[in-house]
Amino acid sequence: MNRIFPAIGLSLWIAMLSPMAQAASLTAQVASPPTGGRIESPPAAAGGKAIRGVDFQRGPQGEGNVIIDLSDPSIAPEIQERDGKVSLTFAKTRLPESLRVRLDVKDFATPVQYIRASEAAGRTTLTIEPSGPFDYSTYQTDNRLTVSIRPMSASELQKHHPDHNAYNGEKLSLNFQDIDVRSVLQLIADFTNLNLVASDTVQGGITLRLQNVPWDQALDLVLKTKGLDKRQVGNVLLVAPADEIAARERQELESQRQIADLAPLRRELMQVNYAKATDIAKLFQSVTGSEAKADERGSITVDERTNNIIAYQTQERLDELRRIVTQLDIPVRQVMIEARIVEANVDYDKSLGVRWGGSIQNRGNWNASGVGGAANGPSVGALGSTSSSSPFVDLGVANNTSGIGIAFITDNVLLDLELTAMEKTGNGEIVSQPKVVTSDKETAKILKGTEIPYQEASSSGATSVSFKEASLSLEVTPQITPDNRIIMEVKVTKDEPDYLNKVQDVPPIKKNEVNAKVLVNDGETIVIGGVFSNTQAKVVDKVPFLGDVPYLGRLFRRDVVSEKKSELLVFLTPRIMNNQAIAVSR
């Protein structure tokens, strides 16, 4: 048979067929599932909101896509799911006569069976009728609204309806009036090719009418109605009253317990190599429940010197203990954690200042040598007389690296000027690299530093010496994940005493500390913390009024510019050590 659909979709002549003729054409003449179809209307009249066309396409995953062409992108329908149908209602939207049809799209092999479009009282309704369990989603691009209907599997249906049992048996139909329950069970057993064993207490009749229902659901309905229950062993189905099955199972458990109570006890010595025998013994007792029972037969003893377990138990319990030891007594993997703490400092200082000085001589002649202020410049004096000399503007630079002096000398007066300057730049970097190896889930700590003594006074006046720790330390607890990644709880500290700022001969402690919990790949380096600080200062010391005079004010002030930058980074690199590496390290 030839397909009547062109590659781009259904022909326009479908829009002119009656609904029954369209359904017949689609059902009778499509030989294989098409991928799309389109129904278009003639151009809508200008003005107002309208639906201009409806497309249907089959998606790559078997979903059915209903594409609606809107005249205005602002049209927003009301979407509801009722009675297994998806309904789209467009308020104040016109639907052309050619689109008011019911389409049969079953041959597209999607969950969508029919699409119905209608208009009433200025409202357009588009109804999509799927079959079977389905899920739908909608999305809009410009003036094209798409409704996607996809089938749902049994597992997806169970997730959406957790209280609903997912029945997946072959469907059957049953219609009987007052039929014997045993006969219904026999019919279901014949339908499913299962062997049936029914208890003598299964009696009574039942009336049922089930159409197209999974056989396992029909069986559950019959059993619940008559107070019955079932157990299936292989292809044999046992049916009996629920109380009878429960009593039989309790009897079987009691028999097993009595057999265990009468079983002979055996003694066995089990060697534990890597784990603690005490821990495995406690775990075995908690799993079997023997720890909580005072009258429990047998015993579990641990020899801590040889790390052995001495078990006096039944053969079944000995086998269980042996399985636990085999699974848990394995070498624990180890992790090497390496931390790098990097401190970088940049200092810059610049100073420029002046000093004015001079002296007055009452008699005699001057004997001058050099130029400078009274403190660190040349000395000025007279033979056989005394002189007074002191700077009256002292704004010089401390620890200056350069300077220039100018002096004015007369018979009675000496006036000198000294310009001083200093500029200093410093760079520093400190790298600390603590490293530690520990077992999985075990805390390890490495520390290096000093303890600073200081005195403490009590309320009675007595004094004692205490110590405060200032150290570089790395404390870490690693956990190896099943995919060979590492979760670490880490604490890194780098404390150091500041002897330049001592208080009562006790230096304060500069603290740097990082606490983190991170997930890192094996051998990967991660930055777990960083602190950056930048301090800038500009200080001007000047003589009042004179320091503000333009140009000349430079001779009556001191300028100090300083900038300090510091940065602290903490890097962490964990590595899982294999057995060969562990052996070499030993």
Side-chain angles (χ1 to χ4, degrees):
M1 290 185 293
N2 297 326
R3 297 174 62 179
I4 65 173
F5 302 104
I8 61 173
L10 294 172
S11 304
L12 296 179
W13 60 269
I14 295 180
M16 298 182 290
L17 294 176
S18 65
M20 295 180 60
Q22 294 175 27
S25 300
L26 288 170
T27 304
Q29 301 188 38
V30 177
S32 59
T35 59
R38 180 174 177 81
I39 306 172
E40 291 184 343
S41 67
K49 299 180 179 179
I51 294 178
R52 298 186 301 189
V54 178
D55 285 354
F56 182 80
Q57 296 179 355
R58 185 178 188 274
Q61 304 298 327
E63 68 273 15
N65 298 323
V66 181
I67 305 174
I68 306 169
D69 190 7
L70 305 173
S71 63
D72 188 347
S74 64
I75 299 177
E78 179 184 353
I79 304 175
Q80 293 181 341
E81 180 184 354
R82 290 180 299 184
D83 301 329
K85 301 177 183 179
V86 179
S87 177
L88 291 84
T89 303
F90 299 84
K92 299 180 181 181
T93 303
R94 293 181 294 104
L95 181 69
E97 289 290 341
S98 59
L99 296 182
R100 301 178 187 181
V101 295
R102 182 176 184 265
L103 302 180
D104 183 351
V105 292
K106 291 185 292 186
D107 292 319
F108 284 81
T110 70
V112 181
Q113 303 293 300
Y114 302 99
I115 303 174
R116 184 196 303 270
S118 61
E119 180 184 357
R123 297 167 61 91
T124 295
T125 303
L126 188 69
T127 304
I128 303 172
E129 303 179 22
S131 66
F134 69 92
D135 192 13
Y136 74 94
S137 60
T138 62
Y139 55 91
Q140 183 171 349
T141 305
D142 294 333
N143 61 341
R144 298 178 69 86
L145 175 65
T146 301
V147 182
S148 181
I149 309 292
R150 67 175 185 87
M152 293 180 62
S153 62
S155 59
E156 291 177 326
L157 184 63
Q158 180 69 17
K159 291 179 180 179
H160 282 72
H161 306 282
D163 297 333
H164 179 268
N165 294 325
Y167 297 103
N168 52 11
E170 188 176 353
K171 295 183 179 180
L172 54 77
S173 297
L174 299 174
N175 190 355
F176 296 101
Q177 183 75 23
D178 195 18
I179 187 175
D180 188 69
V181 174
R182 303 174 71 90
S183 299
V184 175
L185 296 177
Q186 183 63 46
L187 288 174
I188 296 177
D190 293 341
F191 182 79
T192 58
N193 293 324
L194 289 175
N195 298 317
L196 176 66
V197 177
S199 173
D200 294 338
T201 53
V202 177
Q203 301 292 337
I206 188 173
T207 299
L208 71 163
R209 182 180 183 277
L210 302 175
Q211 296 291 333
N212 202 26
V213 177
W215 73 264
D216 47 355
Q217 183 179 10
L219 178 60
D220 281 351
L221 292 174
V222 172
L223 297 179
K224 289 179 180 179
T225 302
K226 305 302 292 184
L228 304 175
D229 200 356
K230 69 178 186 298
R231 293 294 184 270
Q232 185 172 346
V233 181
N235 64 340
V236 178
L237 189 66
L238 172 64
V239 177
D243 295 341
E244 183 179 330
I245 291 181
R248 183 181 294 113
E249 291 178 346
R250 285 196 299 269
Q251 184 178 1
E252 291 177 357
L253 291 176
E254 181 65 22
S255 299
Q256 294 176 2
R257 190 185 70 82
Q258 292 177 359
I259 293 174
D261 290 342
L262 298 176
L265 299 178
R266 302 176 184 273
R267 180 176 287 104
E268 187 170 337
L269 180 67
M270 296 186 186
Q271 175 69 51
V272 181
N273 298 317
Y274 303 102
K276 290 183 178 180
T278 305
D279 296 340
I280 292 184
K282 290 181 179 179
L283 181 62
F284 172 75
Q285 291 173 341
S286 63
V287 170
T288 58
S290 58
E291 188 177 17
K293 298 179 180 179
D295 58 345
E296 186 70 26
R297 299 176 66 215
S299 62
I300 296 289
T301 308
V302 173
D303 180 17
E304 296 183 357
R305 184 179 63 86
T306 59
N307 204 38
N308 286 340
I309 298 177
I310 305 172
Y312 186 58
Q313 298 285 330
T314 63
Q315 186 61 47
E316 182 181 358
R317 286 178 175 265
L318 288 176
D319 294 339
E320 180 66 21
L321 176 59
R322 193 178 295 108
R323 285 192 294 268
I324 292 177
V325 171
T326 302
Q327 294 176 1
L328 299 183
D329 187 27
I330 57 177
V332 180
R333 291 190 291 178
Q334 301 189 74
V335 183
M336 180 179 68
I337 300 97
E338 178 182 351
R340 287 187 295 276
I341 307 171
V342 180
E343 293 180 85
N345 299 289
V346 177
D347 296 336
Y348 173 76
D349 292 301
K350 180 180 178 181
S351 301
L352 182 63
V354 298
R355 295 184 65 188
W356 287 92
S359 62
I360 300 175
Q361 176 65 36
N362 294 325
R363 61 187 179 87
N365 296 325
W366 284 103
N367 182 8
S369 64
V371 181
N376 55 3
S379 60
V380 180
L383 295 175
S385 67
T386 60
S387 62
S388 62
S389 176
S390 61
F392 52 87
V393 176
D394 191 1
L395 297 176
V397 175
N399 301 322
N400 60 294
T401 58
S402 61
I404 184 174
I406 302 173
F408 175 75
I409 303 174
T410 65
D411 291 339
N412 298 320
V413 178
L414 168 64
L415 181 64
D416 59 18
L417 168 65
E418 181 184 19
L419 301 177
T420 56
M422 185 274 293
E423 184 171 349
K424 180 177 66 175
T425 302
N427 297 313
E429 183 175 306
I430 303 174
V431 179
S432 305
Q433 193 169 348
K435 186 184 303 183
V436 68
V437 177
T438 184
S439 299
D440 184 23
K441 301 181 186 67
E442 295 292 335
T443 302
K445 182 177 181 180
I446 186 171
L447 182 144
K448 178 181 180 297
T450 60
E451 289 191 344
I452 302 172
Y454 62 94
Q455 286 189 345
E456 283 186 332
S458 62
S459 58
S460 61
T463 60
S464 61
V465 178
S466 300
F467 293 87
K468 184 67 175 178
E469 188 178 271
S471 60
L472 168 67
S473 67
L474 169 64
E475 182 176 346
V476 62
T477 305
Q479 176 184 346
I480 302 176
T481 62
D483 57 351
N484 284 333
R485 305 172 78 186
I486 304 168
I487 300 174
M488 292 183 297
E489 292 186 16
V490 60
K491 178 181 179 181
V492 181
T493 62
K494 188 179 186 304
D495 303 338
E496 56 184 356
D498 185 6
Y499 290 102
L500 296 178
N501 299 304
K502 292 190 294 184
V503 178
Q504 296 181 355
D505 256 359
V506 178
I509 297 176
K510 296 180 180 179
K511 296 187 66 67
N512 295 292
E513 181 175 322
V514 176
N515 290 277
K517 184 175 182 179
V518 293
L519 174 63
V520 191
N521 293 327
D522 180 22
E524 183 182 47
T525 299
I526 185 174
V527 181
I528 64 170
V531 178
F532 175 78
S533 62
N534 185 7
T535 303
Q536 294 181 343
K538 184 177 181 181
V539 179
V540 178
D541 299 326
K542 59 185 178 181
V543 177
F545 180 72
L546 295 178
D548 296 327
V549 177
Y551 303 109
L552 293 178
R554 172 66 269 176
L555 301 177
F556 296 94
R557 69 183 183 195
R558 175 174 56 204
D559 297 333
V560 179
V561 177
S562 64
E563 181 177 3
K564 294 183 180 180
K565 297 180 181 179
S566 64
E567 186 171 8
L568 174 67
L569 296 175
V570 180
F571 300 86
L572 209 62
T573 305
R575 290 184 176 87
I576 300 176
M577 304 177 65
N578 54 32
N579 293 333
Q580 181 179 3
I582 295 173
V584 171
S585 64
R586 291 178 180 174

